[in-house]
Amino acid sequence: MAPIDPHSYTDSTHPFTTHISLSLYFDFSSSTILSSALLSLSSPHTGPLFLDTRSLSISSVIDPQTRTPIPFSLSSEPDLIKGSLLTLSLSDQSQVLISFTTSPNSSALQWLAPPQTFNKTSPFVYTQCQAIHARSIFPCQDTPAARIKYSARLNIPRPLSAVMSARHVERRMPVAGEAATACDDSMWCAEDRVVEEFVMEQPIPPYLFAFAVGEIGYREVGPRTRVYAESVPSVLDAAAREFAGTEDMIRQGEMLFGPYEWERFDLLVLPPSFPYGGMENPRMVFLTPTVIKGDASGAQVVAHELAHSWTGNLITNKNNEHFWLNEGFTTYAERRIVEVVQGEDRAALNTGIGWRGLNDEMERFKDNMEFTKLKTKQEGVDPDDVYSQVPYEKGFQFLWRIERQIGRPAFDEFLKKYIATFKFQSIDTETFLDFLKANVPGIEKEIDLELWAEGTGIPPDALEPVSNIYTKIVSLAQEFKNGRMPTEDEVADWGGQEWELYLENLPKSVEASQILALDARYHLAESKDYEVKVAFLQLAISAKCRDYYGEVERTLKGVGRMKYLRPLYTYLVQGNSKEEEKVLAKRVFAEAKECYHPIAQGVVEAILSKHV
């Protein structure tokens, strides 16, 4: 074997898949998808072909030309991280047709019963494939190094509709024969079924495969943008208001990075269980409803996902060891967009919150400093377990350091050339550094590139942001140690980001009486902004302020975003004399678990198993 990715069975000596044609029959009663996948390879192949799978039941593999069976085997013991190896034995073949069924516990899929949705009337299912979960929907070379185009026919109950991170072709009646080998025609063509057809004509890494099926509506918010969500007028209207400035951000992105290559930039607001803030699926970004804050500040998450349209989706990390190439570039790009669209103060706040987060991650990984590097070693490591702000914020700091060295105009030209050179490719850290040195001669004499890419911790030439508002908020937070709370005049024009920055810079060892006094004045525990609420609740747990444990429980049961679950569960169970808090954490997780996406379930289970 010649592996190219520590999280995939893909062998570099085998041809890559270039196109996948999917027929997917959604069975909500069993939470499964009856499926067929036609894989087209870059060249005919003789010998074994390795594919990644997780919790898939494979029923047959045939040559689509001759309809003859292709021998296959599935590894008997699944690897805890990589899943099961599917080995096909090919004989000068360039296409294979695989029939299979997903599992109800597919790690990419969350099936929601009607009571778990906004409308409470129809079921809902959605995907989250990053980092290594596409393999739990269809067999594939599940590595960003193997980019694919695809087409998909989704056969769904007629009252529902489907969206995908792909171009919508049509909604139509099912046609006999098109199920391929997913299911028989009587099921596929039943009267109560409808087919939604999609195509993705640009090569994407498998982790960007995405769909959602449910009772879905939309609002137009710009020439290239619709906001989709469950068909609830209040949710759709709030989302449309929050993201009304999206077209301005797209235009600003194009000025900075070159043409937007994906035609549409639609947004899908998912149910509260969605495990991330946003997911940059091309043509249709997936978002948590917690970014709808009522003041347009949630649009910063959209700015981040938009920036991925260039860095992450056009140019992709070759594998998760180089994840900073996706996220560091995108965080830099996001702040450049925010600076123009929302102002320099807003961008400085964003950077300041990131700086605080980066310093917190140094504490989190103090016993495993490997994951404070930009380029990491992840053999035998689940990427979901080590997901952190390091690739985002240390990556941002690295690029900001280069910008300061060569000046913004020169760096902007470099960025445009970088994107034009590597678009629709998957690259590694060495490729980026070689390109940097070739295009900025002598840069390695000015900046220690090896220290930034492969060193642990925060390099000495990283920079804490400087702005009047940032400095004022941090100094107010430091005065809290002496018992001084900010006055109402001082916080009169604060929004969620100002409060978030303030709370995150408060000392972690505060008295319960101080927490109660702060909340009595400013009502932070009941904030509608989850960034503020969760930052406050972390302080309350640290101070053992039991008055707020009920709010902690309601929060953990109300949202599934890992940005909130991870710190709240960690604060409950980490440290000494936490028996009461550990009992609370275990009980809440047992009661809330079914409402979390499988990725979030795994992350919380890892926290509890480490500390409880």
Side-chain angles (χ1 to χ4, degrees):
M1 267 184 82
I4 53 173
D5 186 326
H7 303 123
S8 173
Y9 292 111
T10 302
D11 191 310
S12 63
T13 64
H14 298 172
F16 281 168
T17 306
T18 55
H19 189 276
I20 299 180
S21 178
L22 292 159
S23 294
L24 307 174
Y25 180 96
F26 287 74
D27 183 356
F28 280 89
S29 64
S30 64
S31 299
T32 61
I33 305 174
L34 309 178
S35 314
S36 73
L38 176 65
L39 277 62
S40 300
L41 306 179
S42 58
S43 60
H45 183 61
T46 297
L49 179 75
F50 297 156
L51 299 174
D52 297 304
T53 73
R54 181 184 290 120
S55 306
L56 297 178
S57 298
I58 312 293
S59 52
S60 71
V61 183
I62 64 170
D63 182 319
Q65 311 299 325
T66 63
R67 314 301 287 182
T68 55
I70 290 174
F72 70 92
S73 63
L74 203 58
S75 56
S76 54
E77 282 296 316
D79 182 271
L80 287 175
I81 296 167
K82 292 192 287 190
S84 300
L85 167 62
L86 174 62
T87 304
L88 313 183
S89 299
L90 303 189
S91 179
D92 195 32
Q93 286 148 319
S94 59
Q95 283 192 319
V96 295
L97 180 61
I98 306 173
S99 308
F100 58 97
T101 306
T102 63
S103 160
N105 60 6
S106 161
S107 61
L109 296 171
Q110 184 169 22
W111 298 84
L112 299 173
Q116 295 173 287
T117 66
F118 283 114
N119 258 353
K120 316 291 185 199
T121 54
S122 300
F124 197 97
V125 63
Y126 71 89
T127 58
Q128 172 55 42
C129 290
Q130 196 177 40
I132 53 169
H133 301 284
R135 66 193 68 182
S136 70
I137 304 176
F138 56 94
C140 58
Q141 293 159 318
D142 194 4
T143 170
R147 302 175 76 100
I148 53 167
K149 301 176 184 180
Y150 68 84
S151 59
R153 291 182 288 264
L154 281 58
N155 186 303
I156 61 175
R158 191 184 294 243
L160 306 183
S161 55
V163 292
M164 279 198 92
S165 57
R167 181 168 64 80
H168 187 242
V169 178
E170 60 179 338
R171 177 182 171 98
R172 56 171 174 77
M173 299 293 292
V175 176
E178 70 181 356
T181 50
C183 62
D184 60 47
D185 281 346
S186 63
M187 285 179 68
W188 187 268
C189 297
E191 281 186 14
D192 60 346
R193 307 292 293 190
V194 69
V195 167
E196 300 258 27
E197 191 167 348
F198 299 86
V199 293
M200 170 48 72
E201 294 154 317
Q202 294 149 305
I204 60 158
Y207 72 77
L208 291 177
F209 177 87
F211 61 70
V213 178
E215 194 179 351
I216 296 171
Y218 67 86
R219 295 282 185 271
E220 300 280 357
V221 295
R224 292 180 268 191
T225 306
R226 287 176 174 175
V227 173
Y228 292 82
E230 284 187 69
S231 218
V232 181
S234 60
V235 175
L236 286 164
D237 292 341
R241 285 192 298 271
E242 190 81 22
F243 308 129
T246 300
E247 180 62 24
D248 286 345
M249 292 197 294
I250 300 173
R251 288 185 186 141
Q252 190 53 41
E254 289 185 309
M255 286 173 61
L256 284 169
F257 311 117
Y260 180 78
E261 300 261 3
W262 304 93
E263 187 184 6
R264 299 284 305 172
F265 183 70
D266 293 323
L267 309 171
L268 172 67
V269 178
L270 284 157
S273 58
F274 185 60
Y276 291 100
M279 180 62 212
E280 65 271 18
N281 302 311
R283 298 181 65 103
M284 181 170 285
V285 163
F286 284 19
L287 294 167
T288 166
T290 64
V291 300
I292 302 174
K293 301 180 182 184
D295 61 0
S297 65
Q300 292 194 15
V301 173
V302 174
H304 184 91
E305 306 312 332
L306 168 65
H308 269 304
S309 302
W310 291 274
T311 53
N313 298 5
L314 267 189
I315 305 178
T316 308
N317 50 232
K318 188 171 267 187
N319 62 50
N320 211 69
E321 295 183 328
H322 308 275
F323 188 46
W324 81 272
L325 289 172
N326 279 18
E327 296 301 349
F329 272 90
T330 298
T331 303
Y332 174 87
E334 166 202 351
R335 287 175 183 151
R336 291 290 304 277
I337 293 169
V338 168
E339 188 180 294
V340 175
V341 176
Q342 298 188 348
E344 289 186 11
D345 274 351
R346 206 46 49 197
L349 277 178
N350 185 313
T351 303
I353 292 166
W355 177 256
R356 180 71 257 154
L358 179 59
N359 281 272
D360 288 347
E361 296 291 25
M362 296 302 126
E363 175 65 22
R364 173 185 163 195
F365 289 118
K366 64 176 187 252
D367 298 325
N368 195 350
M369 292 296 282
E370 174 67 26
F371 299 108
T372 68
K373 298 177 180 178
L374 287 182
K375 179 186 165 190
T376 56
K377 292 184 173 68
Q378 294 192 15
E379 186 69 49
V381 173
D382 186 331
D384 292 332
D385 289 347
V386 294
Y387 177 85
S388 80
Q389 291 302 299
V390 173
Y392 295 74
E393 297 299 341
K394 189 174 178 180
F396 162 79
Q397 285 283 342
F398 184 23
L399 299 173
W400 197 26
R401 173 70 186 88
I402 298 168
E403 182 209 286
R404 292 198 302 277
Q405 185 65 42
I406 68 176
R408 180 168 281 189
F411 190 61
D412 284 355
E413 287 306 308
F414 169 79
L415 270 183
K416 280 183 178 164
K417 187 173 180 184
Y418 168 69
I419 291 164
T421 301
F422 294 109
K423 68 180 184 180
F424 295 114
Q425 295 180 49
S426 300
I427 67 169
D428 57 19
T429 302
E430 288 69 30
T431 301
F432 166 71
L433 293 176
D434 289 345
F435 185 78
L436 174 66
K437 287 184 278 192
N439 285 274
V440 187
I443 188 72
E444 67 272 26
K445 297 185 180 70
E446 307 293 340
I447 300 174
D448 190 337
L449 301 180
E450 189 174 336
L451 176 70
W452 271 100
E454 303 194 39
T456 58
I458 302 174
D461 49 347
L463 189 66
E464 185 172 4
V466 178
S467 80
N468 290 338
I469 191 163
Y470 174 79
T471 306
K472 177 186 169 189
I473 291 170
V474 171
S475 64
L476 281 172
Q478 287 164 351
E479 289 178 18
F480 192 81
K481 293 174 192 169
N482 308 322
R484 177 166 127 62
M485 229 185 294
T487 66
E488 292 187 15
D489 284 347
E490 286 171 319
V491 305
D493 57 352
W494 282 16
Q497 283 194 299
E498 287 86 352
W499 275 113
E500 182 186 356
L501 185 65
Y502 176 77
L503 292 167
E504 290 186 350
N505 279 277
L506 289 181
K508 293 291 183 260
S509 53
V510 291
E511 299 295 324
S513 59
Q514 292 176 291
I515 294 291
L516 287 161
L518 185 63
D519 192 48
R521 184 178 290 184
Y522 294 116
H523 310 293
L524 301 172
E526 59 204 56
S527 172
K528 297 287 187 286
D529 186 326
Y530 275 89
E531 309 290 337
V532 176
K533 180 200 284 273
V534 171
F536 177 80
L537 292 176
Q538 288 176 65
L539 290 166
I541 296 168
S542 287
K544 291 201 163 211
C545 197
R546 292 175 176 80
D547 303 58
Y548 295 103
Y549 286 7
E551 191 58 47
V552 170
E553 177 171 345
R554 281 189 291 278
T555 302
L556 289 172
K557 288 180 173 179
V559 294
R561 186 177 176 184
M562 293 191 293
K563 184 178 185 181
Y564 310 140
L565 302 185
R566 194 191 304 269
L568 288 178
Y569 277 111
T570 300
Y571 271 64
L572 283 172
V573 300
Q574 196 175 52
N576 301 321
S577 307
K578 285 285 189 77
E579 292 318 307
E580 178 188 346
E581 289 80 3
K582 287 179 180 179
V583 170
L584 173 66
K586 285 171 69 176
R587 178 180 62 76
V588 169
F589 181 58
E591 293 170 7
K593 179 179 178 181
E594 290 310 309
C595 294
Y596 296 160
H597 186 281
I599 295 173
Q601 290 180 17
V603 165
V604 177
E605 282 166 353
I607 291 168
L608 297 182
S609 66
K610 183 177 178 182
H611 296 288
V612 177

